[in-house]
Amino acid sequence: AQTVTQSQPEMSVQEAETVTLSCTYDTSESDYYLFWYKQPPSRQMILVIRQEAYKQQNATENRFSVNFQKAAKSFSLKISDSQLGDAAMYFCAYNGANNLFFGTGTRLTVIP
Amino acid sequence: DTEVTQTPKHLVMGMTNKKSLKCEQHMGHRAMYWYKQKAKKPPELMFVYSYEKLSINESVPSRFSPECPNSSLLNLHLHALQPEDSALYLCASSLSGTSGGTYYEQYFGPGTRLTVT
C-alpha cells in the first residue's frame, strides 16, 4: 500500500525568506505523480505543483519548486520569498494506480 | 476555468433529517470524487465516479448515498447521520480517473461544512 509521510506538523518562516517542507512516500509502483496541495483557512484545497515520476527535472511554479529524489522516495517543497498569503496547511499527495493518497499535512505560519 | 462549486457552504442537520450536498464542474472532467475531512486531518476518499459510474466506494456507511446525474454534477445524499459524521465534505474532479496509467491532478471545491446535531 502507498503511504505518504510528512514529518513536520508545523513550520514557520519569516516573510521574504525561504522554507522547505519535507515529504517521503513509499510505493512499489514505477509510474505515479506527486502533488503539493495548499489548504488555507478558507478551506479550499489548491494545487500548488505537480511532478511526474518519470521526469528527472524538478518542477517549478513561480516561487514554488520541488526537490524530487525518486530513489530516496523524497519530494520536498521549497517556497522562496515567502508571503503572508502562503500561510496554510500544505499536503503532499501521491497519485498512483489507486487514486490520491495524502500525507498528514504541515501547517506553515508566515511571520511578518 | 478550473472551478468546482459546492453548495451549500454550511449545513446543520439533525440525525433524522435528509439533506443533499451538491457539486458541479464545467471543465469537461469525467472523474468526480467525494472526500470527508475532519479538523486538522487530510481528506479521506469516500467515493469515485468515473464516466458517471461509481467506480470506488471506500466502505462508506449506507447513510451516505452518492449520485452522478450527469458528467458535470455530483450529489451526496445524507440520511440518518450521526454526530461523528460532522466534517468538511470536499468534492473534486479530474480529467479522467487513474485507469490506463494516466494520472491527472484533482481540482477541489471549497467544501461543505456539515454539522450533525
Side-chain angles (χ1 to χ4, degrees):
Chain A
Q2 290 80 21
T3 57
V4 180
T5 302
Q6 293 180 249
S7 58
Q8 306 153 315
E10 296 184 357
M11 293 280 286
S12 61
V13 62
Q14 290 284 144
E15 198 174 0
E17 296 294 309
T18 295
V19 64
T20 299
L21 308 185
S22 302
C23 173
T24 58
Y25 58 95
D26 188 24
T27 184
S28 57
E29 296 175 326
S30 58
D31 191 13
Y32 52 89
Y33 281 50
L34 296 163
F35 304 96
W36 279 97
Y37 281 91
K38 165 186 176 181
Q39 189 175 37
S42 65
R43 312 174 322 199
Q44 179 138 19
M45 294 278 279
I46 301 164
L47 178 66
V48 175
I49 199 165
R50 62 178 263 171
Q51 174 79 45
E52 295 91 331
Y54 64 86
K55 286 189 178 177
Q56 293 186 346
Q57 187 173 3
N58 289 324
T60 299
E61 286 287 341
N62 300 314
R63 298 182 295 108
F64 298 88
S65 61
V66 299
N67 183 2
F68 174 48
Q69 303 287 329
K70 189 172 183 179
K73 295 179 182 169
S74 169
F75 181 60
S76 60
L77 174 70
K78 185 170 87 170
I79 306 174
S80 304
D81 185 24
S82 296
Q83 300 175 359
L84 294 177
D86 295 333
M89 181 73 91
Y90 285 81
F91 291 100
C92 177
Y94 169 100
N95 193 351
N98 294 310
N99 286 299
L100 205 54
F101 293 89
F102 288 93
T104 50
T106 297
R107 179 164 300 282
L108 179 67
T109 301
V110 180
I111 303 165
Chain B
D1 182 11
T2 56
E3 188 179 28
V4 177
T5 59
Q6 288 187 245
T7 54
K9 283 191 169 59
H10 302 274
L11 179 62
V12 179
M13 60 185 290
M15 289 190 283
T16 58
N17 292 159
K18 284 186 182 181
K19 297 285 184 183
S20 296
L21 310 184
K22 179 179 169 181
C23 173
E24 202 161 1
Q25 57 86 15
H26 296 287
M27 296 179 278
H29 289 177
R30 302 311 300 269
M32 296 185 77
Y33 311 78
W34 279 115
Y35 289 87
K36 174 182 177 181
Q37 187 180 23
K38 295 286 241 182
K40 299 184 181 179
K41 298 287 187 184
E44 298 173 14
L45 184 64
M46 300 174 72
F47 302 104
V48 180
Y49 272 84
S50 182
Y51 293 87
E52 295 144 61
K53 287 186 167 42
L54 183 64
S55 62
I56 292 179
N57 175 344
E58 291 286 355
S59 303
V60 179
S62 59
R63 56 187 184 267
F64 294 91
S65 174
E67 179 196 18
C68 189
N70 58 58
S71 59
S72 300
L73 197 52
L74 185 66
N75 297 320
L76 186 62
H77 302 298
L78 314 172
H79 174 56
L81 294 192
Q82 304 296 309
E84 60 264 28
D85 297 322
S86 298
L88 180 67
Y89 287 83
L90 293 166
C91 174
S93 71
S94 65
L95 194 58
S96 72
T98 55
S99 63
T102 303
Y103 313 114
Y104 297 101
E105 55 267 32
Q106 294 181 22
Y107 293 90
F108 286 81
T112 294
R113 173 76 63 194
L114 174 67
T115 303
V116 182
T117 60

